[in-house]
Amino acid sequence: MASLHIPKGVRRVLFRTLNTDRKLMWKKEFDTSYVGFMKDGAQWLVDNTDIKLVGVDYLSVGAFDECIPAHLVFLEKREVILVEALNLEHVTPGIYALHCLPLRLRGAEGSPARCILIK
């Protein structure tokens, strides 16, 4: 994670991974080999950056074998918003404005959202 050189002050980051290159979001069956955060990677991001929103290009931010532990690290202080299942196929690395428009669901802990990137 340190090799990403995420500058201080950056509060939102989207991860376009091999999940996009492998077109996992378009497959009918769930693929347990998707790229996701391990607990220690999530902890590093929380401890060493100012990130308050993490977006990923598959159904879970946490790797299959560490799904719950990675989620708990991000969510334990209720300071990091997770945005999953993003279509980042045509997104190149860079600085963008990100707008996420969630559905308002009473009593829900999460919601489908339309996310828009503006260069």
Side-chain angles (χ1 to χ4, degrees):
M1 294 301 301
S3 68
L4 295 176
H5 304 291
I6 298 170
K8 286 289 185 187
V10 170
R11 299 180 59 83
R12 297 171 204 88
V13 64
L14 305 180
F15 289 93
R16 184 188 189 278
T17 69
L18 289 174
N19 299 332
T20 293
D21 298 336
R22 293 172 55 206
K23 300 189 184 305
L24 294 187
M25 285 297 295
W26 308 113
K27 293 186 177 183
K28 290 182 182 179
E29 64 282 342
F30 180 72
D31 189 328
T32 61
S33 69
Y34 67 91
V35 175
F37 277 90
M38 305 297 277
K39 181 181 178 183
D40 60 343
Q43 192 66 60
W44 189 93
L45 203 64
V46 168
D47 292 344
N48 296 286
T49 70
D50 298 322
I51 298 297
K52 299 299 179 195
L53 181 143
V54 173
V56 295
D57 57 354
Y58 199 55
L59 301 175
S60 176
V61 71
F64 184 74
D65 290 336
E66 291 199 31
C67 190
I68 301 297
H71 274 87
L72 291 176
V73 168
F74 283 127
L75 299 175
E76 72 179 332
K77 293 182 183 174
R78 301 180 65 93
E79 292 182 2
V80 179
I81 297 168
L82 302 178
V83 183
E84 299 165 320
L86 292 170
N87 178 355
L88 300 175
E89 188 173 357
H90 301 292
V91 177
T92 57
I95 305 287
Y96 294 85
L98 171 66
H99 302 275
C100 291
L101 311 169
L103 293 177
R104 203 163 191 185
L105 301 175
R106 187 177 306 202
E109 65 177 40
S111 170
R114 171 79 60 181
C115 294
I116 301 165
L117 287 177
I118 300 171
K119 188 81 169 164

